[in-house]
Amino acid sequence: MNDEKEISVFLDRIEELEDDSALAILLIEEDEDEFHEFTLPAELLPEGTGEGEYLTIKISRDEEKTQAALEEARELLKRNQE
């Protein structure tokens, strides 16, 4: 079963921070003229990406990491109950 989704986002701007890092401000269009804004570290953008570009973000479940986190949580609970 493929739970992967693709989301089209608009790179609105890149904001430089005082620590010399930068944030990419991305917009997802919900309805006409309604957007959700979210940020990512700009270093995660593909090289050469600039403001005003559309990007595609792929989202999928990482079942292996999820299972490992669940096992770790169960182990912690077990230790705390002892």
Side-chain angles (χ1 to χ4, degrees), residues 63-80:
E63 293 181 27
E64 198 172 294
K65 283 186 179 180
T66 300
Q67 189 60 41
L70 286 172
E71 289 172 14
E72 184 178 343
R74 286 185 190 114
E75 187 61 35
L76 286 171
L77 280 172
K78 184 178 175 182
R79 279 189 249 149
N80 286 337

Side-chain angles (χ1 to χ4, degrees), residues 15-28:
E15 295 182 354
E16 301 294 330
L17 303 176
E18 290 178 10
D19 65 358
D20 292 327
S21 65
L23 291 176
I25 311 304
L26 302 161
L27 302 176
I28 300 173

Side-chain angles (χ1 to χ4, degrees), residues 44-59:
L44 296 178
L45 296 174
E47 192 172 325
T49 302
E51 294 176 354
E53 290 190 58
Y54 281 88
L55 304 169
T56 300
I57 296 177
K58 293 182 181 183
I59 300 174

Side-chain angles (χ1 to χ4, degrees), residues 12-42:
D12 185 52
R13 64 193 181 279
I14 297 175
E15 295 182 354
E16 301 294 330
L17 303 176
E18 290 178 10
D19 65 358
D20 292 327
S21 65
L23 291 176
I25 311 304
L26 302 161
L27 302 176
I28 300 173
E29 189 170 11
E30 182 178 334
D31 290 320
E32 191 173 320
D33 295 329
E34 286 188 42
F35 298 90
H36 290 286
E37 180 179 291
F38 71 100
T39 61
L40 286 176

